[in-house]
Amino acid sequence: MTHLYFYDFPIGRLGIAETAEKISHVSYGLKLPAQYEKAETPLIRQTAQQLTEYFNGERQEFSVPLCAQGTPFQQSVWKSLTQIPYGKTVSYQDIARAAGNPNACRAAGLANNRNPIAILIPCHRVIGKSGCLTGYAGGLDKKQFLLDLEKSF
């Protein structure tokens, strides 16, 4: 059973989902999928607390167990994303290289876009090679908000 609960944060409403005692989604979506049960579990509550600390500038890393489902390449990209330091940015080419395929910039971008655990797996820290903001599932305004937040602390 997957449990999902919604919280309001400075960036807007986020849904936090738990599957098999691991966080499986943090998303900007506001709908409850039919196969999910609306419930606030202790792990979801802990994740919301860590996100609150993050938005307050009191936390730079998350310590809840994660379970992002994806292809092996997506998994390698998402793992690479977790290695980007707080307040820093890298390019899609850097992520492709870190994931083991330096020529797969577009694939890395697509995997970045399909990241099911926003913020905790910090896909917002990936920008275009030229330094410009490109793509973010929550919208570029949210990406800019997160980058500005991390630079302010």
Side-chain angles (χ1 to χ4, degrees):
M1 174 62 65
T2 298
H3 298 95
L4 175 69
Y5 205 75
F6 297 96
Y7 298 88
D8 292 317
F9 294 99
I11 199 166
R13 183 161 260 221
L14 293 175
I16 303 172
E18 174 187 341
T19 305
E21 299 180 14
K22 293 183 179 180
I23 296 302
S24 58
H25 291 85
V26 173
S27 67
Y28 296 100
L30 301 177
K31 292 183 179 180
L32 181 67
Q35 70 272 25
Y36 289 27
E37 177 182 319
K38 186 175 181 183
E40 184 182 38
T41 67
L43 179 58
I44 290 174
R45 193 175 308 112
Q46 178 186 6
T47 304
Q49 179 59 40
Q50 289 189 15
L51 280 164
T52 297
E53 293 165 2
Y54 168 81
F55 286 113
N56 289 338
E58 301 163 354
R59 176 176 289 276
Q60 295 185 359
E61 295 179 8
F62 299 94
S63 62
V64 293
L66 305 178
C67 176
Q69 298 295 316
T71 67
F73 182 73
Q74 288 172 330
Q75 294 284 338
S76 65
V77 167
W78 299 335
K79 183 176 181 184
S80 297
L81 295 174
T82 65
Q83 305 306 308
I84 305 169
Y86 179 91
K88 303 293 182 191
T89 58
V90 300
S91 71
Y92 290 97
Q93 185 175 35
D94 294 331
I95 289 299
R97 189 178 300 114
N101 192 342
N103 296 321
C105 295
R106 285 190 176 189
L110 200 58
N112 204 48
N113 179 266
R114 295 212 170 118
N115 170 21
I117 307 176
I119 304 170
L120 279 68
I121 297 178
C123 55
H124 61 276
R125 295 179 187 154
V126 183
I127 60 174
K129 189 176 180 180
S130 67
C132 64
L133 297 188
T134 58
Y136 187 65
L140 291 181
D141 59 326
K142 289 182 174 48
K143 185 173 192 166
Q144 186 67 61
F145 178 91
L146 294 168
L147 293 174
D148 289 346
L149 173 80
E150 291 185 7
K151 288 184 178 160
S152 69
F153 292 105

